Amino acid sequence: MDKQWEINPKERIRTYKNDNCMNKTQLTSKTFALGALCVIGHIGLCHAQGTLDANATLSGVQNGSIYDYTLTLNNPAGSSGIGDFWFDWTPGNFYLTTSPSSVTPAAGWSIVTQSGSIEFSTTTPLAPGSSATFLFTSTEAPGAVGTPNTVYGDSTQASDSSTVYTGSSAFSGSTQEFNVAPVPEPSTISLLVTGLGGALFACKRRFSA
């Protein structure tokens, strides 16, 4: 036995208490740090799951008296998964004046057409960095589809025309409203290219004269 402890028994008790107190303090600090990390991680996870940054494009090609539309929903990297996409609808607003027909959803998605809108939903959310393509036909021209300038059954104008949800149905999970970006049909693009080419040729002749 160490003679020091035989000579100073009080010092031995005091040292034991101090060591025990330090161990408890270190354990408490580690527990607090671990708890803080868990809370931060949980908050970060909730934030990631609640962030939506979707966008969509719409292109239409005239086919006789109707238009064949291709609707593409894009879910950029860093966004949350999308389980419900309600096209031409925001709460209380329906933007198509006639119901679309021949709607073809992307694989794994179901459809519901309501008044002037189409709701697409899935139980397998569209993952970040992915896209989904939907098809439908309508008698409405591209200038009236996918924009908030015509309201079906409601006089209220909204700043956005479509809505997505993280859940597999409307009003479930986080939500985002946005405008669908129209893509000019091929004939329009051809006319623009032709017109631009003619303008450049005219300018070239003028400066070379």
Side-chain angles (χ1 to χ4, degrees):
M1 181 179 294
D2 195 333
K3 293 183 179 181
Q4 180 180 359
W5 298 119
E6 293 180 355
I7 297 173
N8 302 306
K10 293 183 178 180
E11 183 67 24
R12 181 181 181 184
I13 295 173
R14 183 162 51 251
T15 302
Y16 172 79
K17 289 182 177 180
N18 290 339
D19 290 344
N20 190 41
C21 182
M22 290 179 63
N23 289 335
K24 289 183 177 180
T25 301
Q26 292 175 352
L27 179 61
T28 302
S29 299
K30 291 179 179 179
T31 303
F32 176 80
L34 180 60
L37 288 174
C38 290
V39 171
I40 293 172
H42 179 70
I43 293 174
L45 180 61
C46 290
H47 177 73
Q49 290 178 341
T51 302
L52 281 168
D53 189 28
N55 64 81
T57 59
L58 180 71
S59 60
V61 177
Q62 188 169 5
N63 182 12
S65 60
I66 63 173
Y67 293 86
D68 296 324
Y69 286 100
T70 300
L71 175 63
T72 302
L73 174 64
N74 304 304
N75 193 21
S79 180
S80 295
I82 297 173
D84 190 88
F85 172 36
W86 206 329
F87 171 68
D88 262 9
W89 176 89
T90 57
N93 301 287
F94 299 84
Y95 295 107
L96 291 173
T97 56
T98 58
S99 293
S101 59
S102 302
V103 182
T104 303
W109 292 71
S110 59
I111 59 171
V112 175
T113 56
Q114 299 187 40
S115 300
S117 67
I118 314 172
E119 183 181 11
F120 303 95
S121 58
T122 179
T123 55
T124 305
L126 181 64
S130 303
S131 299
T133 300
F134 312 91
L135 307 174
F136 69 93
T137 61
S138 175
T139 58
E140 291 192 54
V145 176
T147 58
N149 56 8
T150 55
V151 178
Y152 182 89
D154 196 318
S155 60
T156 303
Q157 290 286 353
S159 59
D160 300 298
S161 65
S162 294
T163 310
V164 291
Y165 293 90
T166 55
S168 59
S169 61
F171 307 107
S172 61
S174 299
T175 183
Q176 176 198 356
E177 296 178 9
F178 61 94
N179 278 325
V180 174
V183 177
E185 58 182 305
S187 59
T188 303
I189 296 176
S190 298
L191 288 174
L192 289 174
V193 172
T194 302
L196 180 60
L200 291 174
F201 180 74
C203 289
K204 184 177 180 180
R205 290 190 59 183
R206 181 184 305 173
F207 284 107
S208 61

